[in-house]
Amino acid sequence: MHYLSTRGGVEPIPFTEAMMMGLGVDGGLLLPRAIPRINRSTFESWQELSYGQLAFEVMSRFIDDIPAADLKEMIHASYTSFTHQEVTPLVHLDDMHILELFHGPTFAFKDIALQFLGNLFDYILNRDDLTINILGATSGDTGSAAIAGVRGKERINIFILHPHNRISPIQEKQMTTVTDANVFNIAVRGTFDDAQAIVKDVFGDIDFKTEYRLGAVNSINWARVLAQVVYFIYSCLHLSSHEKDRATSFSVPTGNFGDIFAGFIAKKMLPEGSINTLLLATNANDILARFVNEGDYSRGRVIATSSPSMDIQAASNFERYLYYLYDRDPARVKDSMERFKQEGKLDLTSELDKIKRDFTAVSVSEGKIRETIATYYNQHNYILDPHTAVGVYAATKHRKQGIPMVCLATAHPAKFRESVQMAIDKQLDLPKALRSIINKPSRCEVMNADKKEIMTFITKNALK
Ligand SMILES: *Cc1c(COP(=O)(O)O)cnc(C)c1O
């Protein structure tokens, strides 16, 4: 399987090269040349597979430049760090199914991709005798999951910028208490956008990027999307037998279009009629909901909500969907993305019918999020985190009689304890692994939102 850029400027490259490239050198995003189709009998034969076995079956169809035995071992290593035997168990609450994606080391769904990504980087770097310096900015969850994925790996140094004093105390501790020598936390005096802008600027400095072999772990990396395709398929296979024969709908809380795009790929792979509706759920930052409902993709101001990991106004993975929406025409994608960069908006009303065939979308207010958390606690004794509640609320509004609905649970409620406690009026205990980090020593550099200062720091601490 070879990979192409959404903007048409990259010669077809094999998987591992696409993985190392991250963002396409032409500024586009990388995608497989074709989406492999799974026929019905193969799909049915996957019924009894464990999560890891299924991950191998799915991923190996996109990865043909790593020997099967090595890929299997990497997948195995990635998911043994999860505390639940099933990795992503389904919980059934009456007729709503909750797919718990938060049993990894940092209690959010990003572990599912980033545990694998860490091992994959390590494998490629050893194979090719290379080193890499990973650079990223985080509003909380990505940073800790990325750090957990690469800590202690000899051929990788990781530099993660977060906005100083603007992430939750637990999120900060999760990152800064990792004191392995290859981990560098930088707290930037400024907002997440300031930190993100610096990272983009540094990546844009091609000489610097090449000299220090900078690598990316954000969801522009195809391997992250690929790892997330697996649990959509896994849950289709693990519904109760009377529901399994029906097409399954998914409700996906999203901000960056990453998780919902993984669902879109899963739908394309599986036999016709396996996946029904892909419900795209956003918080008050509704750019993606406006896009699906009105064909209006225009950047607004970022609003702070109780689901901060979705407080995003420009979804990086959106470009991948645009490529399919435009019938895989890279010239049109390039043109549109350049226009979006300049004008901050795209008018896609002419494509509305097509978009609505792919997605249904809902934007969920803070009040509804709180209400949903309270309702599920009172009626089911089940505690939703605010991100998950966004998807669950959307699902209650849009589910159809007789069609099974799976809601993706993207974080453990304790990770966003303050908002959850307010909604259910009850103190939440922290899981042991989170409790133990509160008093651990931490290491972090506090720096100005100054590109030069940060580049100097990277220069001093990068793997040569
Ligand atoms: C990152 C994140 C999301 C959104 O993921 P997308 O990549 O934007 O789809 C949702 N919930 C939690 C808890 C997250 O950390």
Side-chain angles (χ1 to χ4, degrees):
M1 177 69 75
H2 277 60
Y3 287 78
L4 303 170
S5 163
T6 50
R7 300 193 192 180
V10 176
E11 287 301 307
I13 47 174
F15 172 81
T16 50
E17 241 175 88
M19 154 91 190
M20 297 308 281
M21 190 179 280
L23 184 68
V25 287
D26 63 347
L29 299 188
L30 300 169
L31 275 171
R33 210 172 199 169
I35 308 288
R37 292 299 300 253
I38 306 304
N39 65 34
R40 203 164 294 277
S41 67
T42 304
F43 184 44
E44 275 161 17
S45 75
W46 288 352
Q47 203 76 244
E48 304 299 322
L49 300 184
S50 68
Y51 188 90
Q53 289 167 329
L54 180 70
F56 173 77
E57 289 300 328
V58 173
M59 291 187 190
S60 59
R61 283 165 167 80
F62 292 89
I63 304 175
D64 54 12
D65 54 344
I66 294 175
D70 295 352
L71 183 59
K72 273 185 191 160
E73 200 178 300
M74 249 183 284
I75 290 170
H76 178 74
S78 304
Y79 297 114
T80 44
S81 63
F82 280 63
T83 53
H84 200 287
Q85 196 190 334
E86 279 187 70
V87 184
T88 62
L90 269 171
V91 174
H92 310 284
L93 304 174
D94 289 342
D95 54 352
M96 199 74 97
H97 310 288
I98 310 281
L99 180 65
E100 293 185 342
L101 302 173
F102 51 71
H103 294 283
T106 72
F107 296 86
F109 89 98
K110 300 210 167 57
D111 287 325
I112 292 176
L114 285 165
Q115 284 290 305
F116 177 63
L117 222 71
N119 289 322
L120 196 54
F121 268 126
D122 196 40
Y123 174 86
I124 298 169
L125 296 170
N126 274 301
R127 184 189 73 182
D128 301 345
D129 193 20
L130 296 170
T131 58
I132 196 173
N133 293 291
I134 289 172
L135 174 63
T138 185
S139 57
D141 290 338
T142 303
S144 56
I147 288 169
V150 306
R151 62 184 297 179
K153 298 207 187 296
E154 274 176 22
R155 291 170 178 272
I156 304 175
N157 275 4
I158 182 165
F159 299 84
I160 295 291
L161 279 58
H162 70 261
H164 187 42
N165 290 337
R166 286 177 200 243
I167 59 175
S168 81
I170 289 179
Q171 286 177 322
E172 190 196 327
K173 281 284 181 184
Q174 280 186 301
M175 293 196 284
T176 59
T177 57
V178 181
T179 50
D180 296 68
N182 71 331
V183 174
F184 299 90
N185 279 290
I186 303 172
V188 176
R189 293 189 188 93
T191 63
F192 168 67
D193 287 337
D194 296 331
Q196 176 88 313
I198 291 171
V199 167
K200 278 196 181 147
D201 258 15
V202 176
F203 272 111
D205 187 333
I206 299 298
D207 291 339
F208 189 83
K209 178 177 182 238
T210 311
E211 181 173 355
Y212 291 99
R213 294 174 314 284
L214 296 186
V217 285
N218 52 14
S219 57
I220 57 170
N221 200 313
W222 166 256
R224 271 188 67 174
V225 177
L226 177 56
Q228 291 170 216
V229 171
V230 177
Y231 50 71
F232 283 89
I233 300 179
Y234 185 80
S235 42
C236 287
L237 292 164
H238 284 80
L239 287 172
S240 63
S241 51
H242 72 283
E243 289 190 311
K244 233 176 328 206
D245 298 334
R246 313 210 182 118
T248 308
S249 290
F250 287 90
S251 182
V252 186
T254 195
N256 232 330
F257 214 82
D259 224 357
I260 191 93
F261 183 74
F264 176 77
I265 298 289
K267 188 173 178 177
K268 278 185 172 301
M269 283 183 80
L270 295 182
E272 197 72 37
S274 302
I275 293 182
N276 191 300
T277 305
L278 290 171
L279 185 53
L280 185 160
T282 72
N283 61 26
N285 295 285
D286 64 348
I287 177 171
L288 292 173
R290 275 186 284 120
F291 159 66
V292 173
N293 291 324
E294 299 157 34
D296 166 30
Y297 188 71
S298 59
R299 215 188 325 240
R301 275 236 327 269
V302 177
I303 303 163
T305 73
S306 60
S307 48
S309 300
M310 290 156 42
D311 291 349
I312 291 170
Q313 284 286 354
S316 42
N317 265 292
F318 173 76
E319 179 167 347
R320 285 196 167 106
Y321 174 63
L322 205 57
Y323 179 77
Y324 292 105
L325 186 63
Y326 287 169
D327 293 322
R328 307 200 281 166
D329 179 350
R332 261 183 98 190
V333 176
K334 183 162 183 264
D335 180 63
S336 285
M337 291 315 295
E338 279 167 3
R339 202 142 25 88
F340 180 71
K341 195 173 175 190
Q342 276 174 8
E343 298 169 13
K345 63 172 195 252
L346 282 179
D347 179 358
L348 292 150
T349 42
S350 60
E351 309 289 332
L352 210 46
D353 285 349
K354 216 168 155 191
I355 298 167
K356 287 189 184 218
R357 256 177 276 142
D358 291 329
F359 305 105
T360 302
V362 189
S363 159
V364 182
S365 69
E366 286 299 285
K368 293 294 181 205
I369 295 172
R370 256 194 321 272
E371 210 179 285
T372 308
I373 295 173
T375 305
Y376 269 72
Y377 179 61
N378 293 329
Q379 292 182 358
H380 301 283
N381 203 24
Y382 186 87
I383 304 178
L384 302 166
D385 108 284
H387 303 78
T388 306
V390 168
V392 170
Y393 176 78
T396 57
K397 289 285 132 190
H398 279 271
R399 76 177 141 186
K400 296 192 192 102
Q401 194 69 33
I403 299 198
M405 174 63 87
V406 174
C407 298
L408 272 50
T410 52
H412 190 290
K415 200 163 182 184
F416 298 93
R417 187 157 69 140
E418 288 73 18
S419 313
V420 174
Q421 287 177 163
M422 273 210 288
I424 63 174
D425 200 20
K426 174 186 180 294
Q427 292 299 111
L428 266 193
D429 289 335
L430 283 180
K432 205 163 127 227
L434 288 181
R435 223 167 23 214
S436 71
I437 61 174
I438 298 293
N439 297 315
K440 269 196 190 165
S442 59
R443 190 158 66 90
C444 181
E445 299 287 326
V446 181
M447 298 174 74
N448 292 325
D450 178 71
K451 181 182 158 195
K452 281 236 171 64
E453 200 180 315
I454 286 163
M455 284 169 85
T456 307
F457 181 80
I458 294 173
T459 308
K460 277 194 196 131
N461 295 290
L463 279 176
K464 299 291 176 329

